[in-house]
Amino acid sequence: CPGTTSEQAGKSSSCQGCPNQKLCASGATKAPDPAIAEIGAKLSTVKHKILVLSGKGGVGKSTFSAHLAHALASDSTKEVALLDVDICGPSIPRIMGLEGEQVHQSGSGWSPVYVDDNLAVMSIGFLLSSLDDAVIWRGPKKNGMIKQFLRDVDWGELDYLIVDTPPGTSDEHLSIVQYLSSTHIDGAVIITTPQEVSLQDVRKEIRFCQKVKLPIIGVVENMSGFVCPKCKNTSQIFPPTSGGAEQMCADLNLPLLGKVPLDPRIARSCDEGKSFLNEVPDSPAAKAYQSIVQS
């Protein structure tokens, strides 16, 4: 697909057989989406918007997003919200201890679910009738859901809106960047693990950010060694064969925000819906999180 706003929309050979070919060829799809201005007005009371991205799945984006939100909300003077736009794999409700909660409608829109007085969460997981329900949607329906999250949720006044995204560089990522285009996005935090098989996909994510003019705040290397809780020695579970995130950041002139070591207590905290930062505040991983947030 050349893209609905491309000059070749509806005209290229790849458009043959598409049910929207005539619509794209007519030029109607090039008109700006009125929802962009509506979202800009709705989010005008949000001071900082941060996207958490990675080209690779399983590197800990949702875990990082959740703990970033917890860390920011530890300052009781700050209002924080976490938006989960992983439409097909919403894990944020479990990680935040909110499974089974439901979204309520009010006169001012959908009300997010609150972990604490100053920490709100929104996810499609709150809209499913069962934890085992699969979301089998094509791009347009995913885009519509993300639009609703941004436009119809009563976010109120926020200091930080953290957006947890799925892996890749496709529908959800394009939608969130497009819909937030009328607002100021602080930038993206990119998550990777040390091994090259992860870094090669993360480089694609960095290229995506550059193409859509999304600022990159920095890179976090997750699962960066395993620190034994007893002997405190560090083992490299995922060896950085090509230099890890540190070498990649040096090559691409990007800031390395920090390295978070593996800790089995992080996984247990996520499964139990608790904040690892509160459960084990003196662990090397918790200190790494706090250092990243302060940076």
Side-chain angles (χ1 to χ4, degrees), residues 123-155:
S123 169
I124 195 174
F126 300 138
L127 306 177
L128 302 178
S129 58
S130 165
L131 295 177
D132 297 327
D133 280 354
V135 180
I136 308 171
W137 288 356
R138 294 186 186 274
K141 201 164 183 181
K142 290 181 181 180
N143 298 346
M145 187 80 263
I146 293 170
K147 184 191 299 186
Q148 277 193 277
F149 281 154
L150 294 172
R151 183 187 59 191
D152 299 341
V153 173
D154 183 16
W155 295 110

Side-chain angles (χ1 to χ4, degrees), residues 1-16 18 20-21 24-25 29-30 174:
C1 174
T4 56
T5 58
S6 166
E7 291 298 322
Q8 294 301 311
K11 302 173 185 177
S12 75
S13 58
S14 61
C15 298
Q16 298 298 320
C18 176
N20 295 318
Q21 183 179 7
C24 289
T29 57
K30 296 182 178 66
L174 290 168

Side-chain angles (χ1 to χ4, degrees), residues 149-272:
F149 281 154
L150 294 172
R151 183 187 59 191
D152 299 341
V153 173
D154 183 16
W155 295 110
E157 293 189 6
L158 293 175
D159 292 287
Y160 296 97
L161 175 63
I162 311 300
V163 182
D164 179 41
T165 67
T169 55
S170 57
D171 292 317
E172 293 92 336
H173 310 81
L174 290 168
S175 294
I176 198 75
V177 171
Q178 178 190 3
Y179 291 139
L180 291 177
S181 61
S182 62
T183 71
H184 170 71
I185 307 176
D186 289 66
V189 175
I190 296 178
I191 313 298
T192 186
T193 48
Q195 74 275 34
E196 178 59 28
V197 75
S198 174
L199 293 169
Q200 65 181 6
D201 287 342
V202 169
R203 291 187 190 97
K204 297 181 178 70
E205 194 77 39
I206 292 169
R207 179 65 64 187
F208 165 82
C209 292
Q210 293 169 341
K211 284 189 174 182
V212 300
K213 296 179 173 56
L214 176 63
I216 298 174
I217 297 172
V219 176
V220 172
E221 184 176 270
N222 204 18
M223 309 183 198
S224 182
F226 168 67
V227 180
C228 177
K230 293 186 178 180
C231 70
K232 307 302 180 185
N233 286 332
T234 301
S235 303
Q236 295 298 331
I237 306 298
F238 301 109
T241 53
S242 60
E246 189 169 356
Q247 184 61 52
M248 181 189 72
C249 288
D251 293 341
L252 300 177
N253 195 27
L254 293 173
L256 177 64
L257 300 178
K259 299 180 180 182
V260 181
L262 273 168
D263 191 321
R265 294 170 294 186
I266 296 177
R268 185 167 65 246
S269 296
C270 290
D271 281 349
E272 295 174 353

